[in-house]
Amino acid sequence: QVQLVESGGGLVQAGGSLRLSCSASGRTASSYAMGWFRQAPGKEREFVAAFNWSGGSTYYADSVKGRFTISRENAKNTVYLQMNSLKPEDTAVYYCAASRDGTLVAGTPSKADFASWGQGTQVTVSS
C-alpha cells in the first residue's frame, strides 16, 4: 500500500512556474512507477509525466514536453513536477499516482497503469 499526498498547487499567471510535490508513504519499493496526471473541468484525466523508480527514463505528454520536468528525491520518497512556462490550458487538478509494486511503465502511460492516487492539487493559470 502506498499513500500519496500532493502539494504545491496554486494560482499563477501565464508564463509563470510552479513546483508540485508528491510525498509517498507506506510500503514503497524501487520496482514501481510514479506519474503525474491532470484533469481539467469537463475533460478526462490525462497523462502528464511518469518514470519507473528503478530506472532512469522519464516520459512526458507532448503537451508538456520541454516545459515540465518530473524528478525525485529518493531519501524522502518524494516526487516533484516542475512546471515552467505555464499556460491557461494547464489549468487542472493535478494528481500523483503510483503503480503496483513490480509494474513498470513505458511510452505513454495510461490511468490503468496506476493503482494508487493522491487527492489532487489545484493548479490555476490565469491569462
Side-chain angles (χ1 to χ4, degrees):
Q1 57 180 15
V2 178
Q3 292 80 46
L4 305 173
V5 179
E6 305 97 332
S7 63
L11 174 65
V12 65
Q13 287 188 309
S17 299
L18 284 174
R19 188 182 73 163
L20 306 183
S21 298
C22 174
S23 178
S25 61
R27 185 181 182 275
T28 59
S30 61
S31 58
Y32 65 93
M34 296 293 298
W36 288 95
F37 289 75
R38 66 187 183 186
Q39 187 166 18
K43 296 186 177 181
E44 299 291 329
R45 191 170 300 186
E46 65 177 357
F47 166 72
V48 175
F51 67 90
N52 296 306
W53 204 277
S54 61
S57 298
T58 55
Y59 309 95
Y60 296 94
D62 290 342
S63 60
V64 306
K65 190 173 181 63
R67 299 188 297 122
F68 292 9
T69 303
I70 189 170
S71 62
R72 62 192 180 191
E73 188 171 348
N74 292 342
K76 295 184 177 181
N77 287 332
T78 300
V79 178
Y80 303 99
L81 184 68
Q82 179 66 46
M83 305 184 295
N84 299 325
S85 301
L86 283 162
K87 305 174 182 179
E89 304 90 88
D90 296 318
T91 296
V93 176
Y94 283 71
Y95 297 90
C96 180
S99 72
R100 295 179 298 276
D101 190 19
T103 300
L104 306 180
V105 299
T108 304
S110 69
K111 293 182 293 184
D113 295 314
F114 298 87
S116 300
W117 297 83
Q119 83 290 343
T121 184
Q122 175 71 232
V123 172
T124 302
V125 184
S126 63
S127 300

